[in-house]
Amino acid sequence: MSYIFGKPTNGSHSSQQSKPVIRKVARPAAKANTNGSSTSDSRPPPVDRYQLSQNPKFKKPARPTPKAAAAKPEPRPKPVAQGKSHLSGVQSSAKRKSASPLPTFTSDSEGDSDDGFGFFNGHVNKKSRRQFKVDPGRKITDIKKWSEVNNEPFELVHGADLTSGDLAKIYTPIFKEDASDPLQVFLQYPGASQREVFSLVTPSAKNEFSPLDEIVRVMQTTLEHYLPSSKAKALLDGSTGLEYRLKRAWRHLNKLDLVAVINEYNDTIENAREDGTSAHALDEMEHLPLPLLELILDQISARTVSLQIETLKKYEAFSDNTYGELRPSFVSEIFQQTGLTSSSVFLDLGSGVGNVTLQAALEIGCESHGIEVMENPCKLARAQAQEFLSRCRMWGISVGSVNLLQGDFLEDTRVTSVLQKADVILVNNQAFQPELNASLTQLFLDLKEGAKIVSLKSFVPQNWKLVERTRDSIIGVLEVTKKEYWSGCVSWKDEGGDYYITTKDSSRINRILDGNRVLDSKRRRR
């Protein structure tokens, strides 16, 4: 037996809210999967839009068919689960980090103390104030393009997948009466009509995936960025808004109130999706807000990389294959500093699990390439790319093309063709040996004029000078600008540091040498 609730996505919408009713319905036994994998009902992406080199099967935890949710007073049969998951068979022994560390709730107005449920605290009520130049070619809205054909479900890793199967043992149902069958809910997104399924359970450790943290974060981010402020204000109110009421319902274990809050949110966003309000909100954006960007990337990572994070730790420290990541806010700053636009071509040399490659396609909407030599990160990158498509569809966002390659960027001929057209190249060479950095400079011969290289170490030695005897060196055409990044920008340390933006400018050789000759001539005349 199972409690289920929520509003069917294909049903009509009443202008008056009815009192939610919770019923128990029989849940049919899950059918056995004979081939051990799920199939997708979604349409394939356009040819060559998402090129993924190789295609090994990504291990994912199997999940039962998600229980549909319905909170309507009139009786109705249990709806068919929306969408299929492509998650199956992940080992539960790997420690999984939370998608994004979030603070816990403070006490509410009635004096309830913090109960450690780990909710998302605070309102997403300040849009990012990053100063970006307006890119007239960037079209963020893609709701029509990602819309379903005949409302067919598409493949998605649901939040419920992350707390079921072998992973269920580290979670506890919130409502004790549901100990053997946790309550599940559907959550509406502003893009696709398909909803995501979450089980209402709590993790045994703070750094595990928390369904309620993500539910609240999705709700708050959607209300803030997909509704006009006049409609969102009351729903975001700190004393009477949806977060406040959901928090109270959760703390007081009140199912009826919890159902009412989620239904109110779902109805609001479904109406905004159908009447074009969500699409209009995206149209008004000149750049993706950082909270929305980070949420989407966190969701993708939590459903792919976090499940197998241990596989990324099996590499020798301080070697050329050491794994490390740049945080999204730092990457966004890099895009701003290099002037990356939707018409640009981006390349990440040593792309790891594909985070930066995907962020460029999502945030900027540009053609984005990445190449990685290590097998485990490549597998996770392919998994992220697949979930990336579904998540962008849920949020109704247009993205640039993505091409993830597996290979050695010093030897792979495919890299050469991309280098010749690339506008911005990222090289996280923090742990690279001097020999590898020297070899990389030879690749830069293929760069076009004005191309920019972003690195954690400079490719031009600190005391190197351009003079007549060094004019034939490749690094003579590289103009280096030193920048600083702040604390919390990289995964391998907390403090800040330096990074470098290097521009290929062949004209600087003659310009600098001619200037030196003029100075020398003046000195001799003295």
Side-chain angles (χ1 to χ4, degrees), residues 420-458:
Q420 293 173 347
K421 62 179 181 178
D423 297 285
V424 177
I425 301 93
L426 173 66
V427 186
N428 183 357
N429 62 340
Q430 180 68 42
F432 285 4
Q433 299 300 315
E435 295 77 13
L436 180 55
N437 279 323
S439 297
L440 271 170
T441 59
Q442 299 303 312
L443 288 180
F444 301 153
L445 288 169
D446 294 317
L447 294 178
K448 64 184 181 181
E449 291 295 313
K452 290 180 171 58
I453 308 154
V454 182
S455 61
L456 277 295
K457 287 183 178 179
S458 177

Side-chain angles (χ1 to χ4, degrees), residues 373-406:
V373 68
M374 295 186 291
E375 177 66 21
N376 289 337
C378 285
K379 288 181 179 179
L380 295 176
R382 284 186 283 268
Q384 285 214 104
Q386 185 174 359
E387 183 67 12
F388 176 75
L389 295 172
S390 298
R391 287 290 147 186
C392 293
R393 185 170 178 175
M394 295 289 279
W395 290 97
I397 295 175
S398 173
V399 296
S401 61
V402 172
N403 183 20
L404 293 170
L405 304 173
Q406 181 174 354

Side-chain angles (χ1 to χ4, degrees), residues 186-236:
F186 278 148
L187 196 67
Q188 180 65 56
Y189 282 75
S193 63
Q194 179 169 311
R195 296 181 178 183
E196 182 168 12
V197 184
F198 290 90
S199 294
L200 297 187
V201 293
T202 56
S204 58
K206 290 184 178 181
N207 62 344
E208 299 292 347
F209 172 77
S210 173
L212 199 65
D213 279 351
E214 185 163 295
I215 289 173
V216 175
R217 195 176 173 195
V218 169
M219 291 171 62
Q220 293 291 85
T221 305
T222 303
L223 293 172
E224 169 65 21
H225 298 292
Y226 285 83
L227 291 182
S229 58
S230 58
K231 292 184 178 180
K233 183 177 180 180
L235 299 173
L236 292 168

